């Protein structure tokens, strides 16, 4: 892993489709089709000039099909990694410096996420004009609004507050 | 009982509930003993939705404790029409009053409002969410009529949007109860409520039904709520189910002689007037109980004397 190849599974052809980065973060083992949601949850939309590479539906031994997101020049904070776990529970985070992976860890689910997701319940106080930050507790199989208590199990990515 | 705010019945332990109910019983027996308990205390009433019983019973309770109320008045005559947020409103009224009672159409409104104030805040109904003081008077009425343990209760009607139902169901998990929920499929309990009930009582005491027939003979208490016509997208769909959830003297022929029939009121046509004079009817007694219950609760929230406030802490 220290040679700059930031993932093992898949073959070289697939790996080459996503360029290596010098310094930054590689988010590997994202479930297939979730890469753009990963970018959304990180607030990355390209308008700030970030250099981002995305591989989607790459063959993977562990997930069958996976996405890979490489963000040049940015190391994710633990909070960001925690939030990622909601939509990419199997993700591996690789911190790269000088083409070498210097840290590698799996995401861990947080107890609470704040200011990241919007409540889908139109009757929830957080959907109005109140000065309140959304807050969700993280369940084993979903998230729950701390205000109206609505539970969301599917399509959490659609709640990402972009 | 040492809660700063009362937002949901989920925060109440069995000991908390018994503390309030026991104190309410003392007050009910002789209200004069507490006539000056809250002299000089002001309660802020913030009702963003119409209310008759809840609002008037809070007002009556506070005045019978020797205190007084400041009332925001109707939404139409308040700063809400100027676009003021709930967060700002409660922060302003906190400066006038020693405690706040808030009813608001949005779920989670009481939780949010409580984060902006230091005085005790009581949730008097947050949309389809919770109504914990209704639950306390419901429990008081149930205890008076049927006891709270070894109890089989049917809860019937609009279980999806009925905040009184959600709060009552949570609180009953503190006791040895079997809860039967009876509703049309489209108005079943929200899945988050079912989730919580299973978490609190491992689901063993919870059953859902689409008809009262069959379960009625086993019930000690039947708690009826209004099937709200406006919840149905199709009038025909409403007409098909509405009759199934109305009770009259003929319906109750299959019930135990000791069955207690309750309703948070207002009712429309779900309980026939002929039941009012029967031994089954407890809904007007239930409404009356709102005053001693809210007197007890307010005094517990606003007083520092541990003799009352500390009783029953777990």
């Amino acid at each position: 892993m220290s040679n700059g190849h930031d993932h093992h599974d898949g073959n070289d052809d697939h790996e080459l489709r996503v360029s290596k980065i010098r310094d930054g973060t590689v988010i590997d083992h994202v479930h297939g089709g979730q890469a753009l949601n990963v970018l959304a949850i990180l607030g990355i939309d390209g308008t700030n000039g970030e250099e981002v590479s995305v591989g989607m539906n790459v063959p993977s031994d562990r997930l069958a099909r996976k996405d890979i997101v490489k963000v040049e020049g940015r190391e994710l904070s633990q909070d960001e990694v925690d939030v990622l776990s909601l939509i990419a529970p199997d993700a591996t985070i690789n911190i790269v410096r000088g083409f070498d992976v210097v840290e590698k860890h799996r995401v861990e689910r947080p107890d609470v996420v704040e200011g990241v997701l919007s409540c889908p319940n139109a009757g929830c106080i957080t959907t109005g004009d109140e000065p309140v930050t959304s807050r969700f507790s993280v369940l084993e199989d979903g998230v729950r609004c701390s205000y109206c208590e609505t539970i969301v199990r599917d399509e959490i990515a659609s709640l990402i507050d972009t | 009982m040492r809660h700063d705010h009362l937002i949901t019945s989920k925060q109440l332990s069995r000991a908390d509930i018994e503390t309030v109910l026991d104190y309410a019983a003392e007050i009910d027996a002789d209200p004069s003993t507490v006539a000056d308990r809250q002299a000089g205390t002001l309660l802020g009433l913030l009702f963003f939705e119409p209310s008759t019983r809840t609002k008037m019973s809070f007002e009556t309770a506070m005045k019978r404790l020797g205190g007084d109320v400041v009332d925001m008045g109707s939404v139409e005559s308040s700063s809400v029409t100027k676009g003021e947020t709930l967060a700002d409103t409660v922060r302003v009224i906190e400066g006038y009053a020693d405690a706040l009672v808030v009813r608001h159409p949005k779920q989670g409104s009481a939780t949010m409002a409580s984060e902006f104030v230091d005085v005790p805040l009581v949730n008097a109904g947050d949309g389809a969410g919770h109504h914990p003081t209704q639950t306390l008077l419901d429990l008081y009425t149930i205890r008076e009529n049927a006891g709270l343990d070894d109890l089989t209760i049917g809860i019937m009607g609009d279980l999806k949007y009925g905040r009184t139902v959600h709060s009552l169901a949570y609180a009953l998990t503190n006791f040895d109860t079997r809860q039967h929920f009876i509703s049309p499929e489209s108005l079943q309990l929200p899945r988050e409520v079912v989730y919580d009930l299973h978490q609190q009582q491992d689901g063993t005491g919870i059953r859902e039904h689409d008809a009262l027939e069959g379960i009625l003979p086993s019930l000690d208490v039947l708690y009826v709520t209004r099937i709200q016509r406006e919840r149905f997208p199709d009038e025909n769909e409403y007409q098909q189910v509405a009759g199934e959830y109305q009770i009259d003297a003929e319906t109750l022929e299959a019930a135990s002689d000791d069955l207690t029939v309750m309703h948070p009121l207002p009712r429309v046509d779900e309980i026939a007037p002929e039941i009012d004079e029967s031994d089954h009817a407890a809904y007007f007694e239930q409404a009356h109980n709102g005053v001693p219950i809210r007197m007890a609760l307010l005094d517990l929230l606003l007083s520092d004397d541990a003799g009352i406030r500390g009783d029953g802490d777990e």
Side-chain angles (χ1 to χ4, degrees), chain A residues 122-123 125 130 144 147 149, chain B residues 10 86-87 106-107 115 196:
Chain A
I125 191 70
E130 299 293 336
R144 181 174 213 180
Y147 291 92
E149 304 182 1
Chain B
K10 280 192 276 189
L86 173 61
K106 290 275 194 179
Q107 276 174 265
E115 293 172 355
D196 286 336

Side-chain angles (χ1 to χ4, degrees), chain A residues 6-161:
Chain A
D6 32 37
H7 50 96
H8 288 300
D9 51 12
N11 59 39
D12 286 348
D13 284 346
H14 290 298
E15 291 188 8
L16 289 172
R17 288 178 196 170
V18 182
S19 62
K20 288 191 283 189
I21 60 174
R22 176 187 293 275
D23 301 296
T25 304
V26 176
I27 306 161
D28 200 358
H29 300 108
V30 175
H31 285 216
Q34 291 292 325
L36 298 181
N37 289 325
V38 166
L39 291 174
I41 216 165
L42 296 176
I44 295 172
D45 61 6
T47 57
N48 292 323
E50 306 95 333
E51 191 177 317
V52 179
S53 304
V54 175
M56 298 183 76
N57 293 314
V58 177
S60 160
D61 293 338
R62 178 139 65 93
L63 296 177
R65 292 279 173 181
K66 68 174 182 178
D67 289 0
I68 306 169
V69 176
K70 302 189 179 189
V71 185
E72 182 71 54
R74 176 167 166 186
E75 296 185 6
L76 295 185
S77 69
Q78 190 59 47
D79 284 350
E80 289 174 312
V81 171
D82 287 347
V83 171
L84 269 182
S85 70
L86 300 180
I87 57 167
D90 296 308
T92 319
I93 308 296
N94 302 281
I95 304 296
V96 181
R97 291 177 195 150
F99 291 111
D100 284 341
V101 174
V102 296
E103 285 179 38
K104 180 185 180 84
H105 49 92
R106 298 281 289 272
V107 297
E108 285 186 26
R109 293 169 72 75
D111 295 330
V112 174
V113 289
E114 288 192 74
V116 177
L117 306 173
S118 296
C119 185
N121 176 10
C124 177
I125 191 70
T126 62
T127 63
D129 297 325
E130 299 293 336
V132 59
T133 302
S134 74
R135 186 169 71 235
F136 286 78
S137 54
V138 178
L139 309 176
E140 276 190 21
D141 56 348
V143 293
R144 181 174 213 180
C145 176
S146 300
Y147 291 92
C148 74
E149 304 182 1
T150 294
I151 293 174
V152 182
R153 292 201 169 90
D154 305 316
E155 300 178 354
I156 292 171
S158 68
L159 307 182
I160 295 169
D161 196 4

Side-chain angles (χ1 to χ4, degrees), chain B residues 20 92 141 181 196-197 199 217 249 306:
Chain B
V20 178
V92 170
T141 310
F181 296 98
D196 286 336
L197 293 176
Q199 293 281 312

